[in-house]
Amino acid sequence: MKVNGRCHCGNIRYEAEIDPGKVTMCHCTDCQMLTGSAFRANVQTPRETFVLRGGALKTYIKTAESGNKRAHAFCPECGTPVYSAAIDDPPFYSLRVGCLDQRRELRPSRQIWCQSALPWSMNVQAIEKLDRQ
Ligand SMILES: [Zn+2]
Ligand SMILES: [Zn+2]
């Protein structure tokens, strides 16, 4: 499936090919901090299908507790996270679903790092719902 993404300020624009059956929610503590939210939704794209159509990404090298390093690409103007990838010759990018125009169709099929999930985030069904703020 072809997807288009952009950052919040519009500086960064890109296209990629993804498998809509491979959307993952990640509850790891790094994703919580780097999104400022409860979890992150990701989908893998083969690196060769990712095409940057505008702007230049900035990269933050994150070191995990395990010592594993990953490159996190984001917009240098507005800070929107775009993807993460292995440092050396990555075969895939992990795209951030919230920045893709097609995000409504990209329902996750798997949740990972549930051991660090915020307990309330595993069931938001009972939380009061308003159409707008
Ligand atoms: Zn931006
Ligand atoms: Zn994570």
Side-chain angles (χ1 to χ4, degrees), residues 13-69:
R13 287 177 298 105
Y14 51 96
E15 300 168 4
E17 290 278 343
I18 57 129
D19 176 350
K22 295 228 167 106
V23 181
T24 299
M25 285 163 63
C26 184
H27 294 277
C28 81
T29 53
D30 286 343
C31 282
Q32 289 166 357
M33 292 202 74
L34 288 162
T35 60
S37 190
F39 57 81
R40 167 145 45 203
N42 295 305
V43 65
Q44 270 194 353
T45 182
R47 181 176 66 171
E48 65 272 15
T49 73
F50 181 89
V51 183
L52 196 59
R53 293 287 185 204
L57 292 161
K58 188 167 179 184
T59 301
Y60 166 65
I61 306 296
K62 184 203 83 167
T63 305
E65 243 177 88
S66 63
N68 192 31
K69 290 187 191 304

Side-chain angles (χ1 to χ4, degrees), residues 6-12 75-80:
R6 66 175 193 95
C7 69
H8 192 267
C9 78
N11 172 38
I12 304 290
C75 172
E77 303 300 329
C78 69
T80 299

Side-chain angles (χ1 to χ4, degrees), residues 60-119:
Y60 166 65
I61 306 296
K62 184 203 83 167
T63 305
E65 243 177 88
S66 63
N68 192 31
K69 290 187 191 304
R70 264 182 95 74
H72 286 245
F74 61 96
C75 172
E77 303 300 329
C78 69
T80 299
V82 175
Y83 66 77
S84 70
I87 302 284
D88 298 314
D89 199 24
F92 295 100
Y93 288 165
S94 182
L95 291 180
R96 299 358 190 154
V97 170
C99 307
L100 302 176
D101 290 350
Q102 296 78 7
R103 59 188 174 271
R104 291 182 69 91
E105 302 157 52
L106 301 176
R107 187 180 187 277
S109 54
R110 201 165 58 122
Q111 302 185 58
I112 60 172
W113 285 98
C114 291
Q115 69 173 31
S116 48
L118 304 185

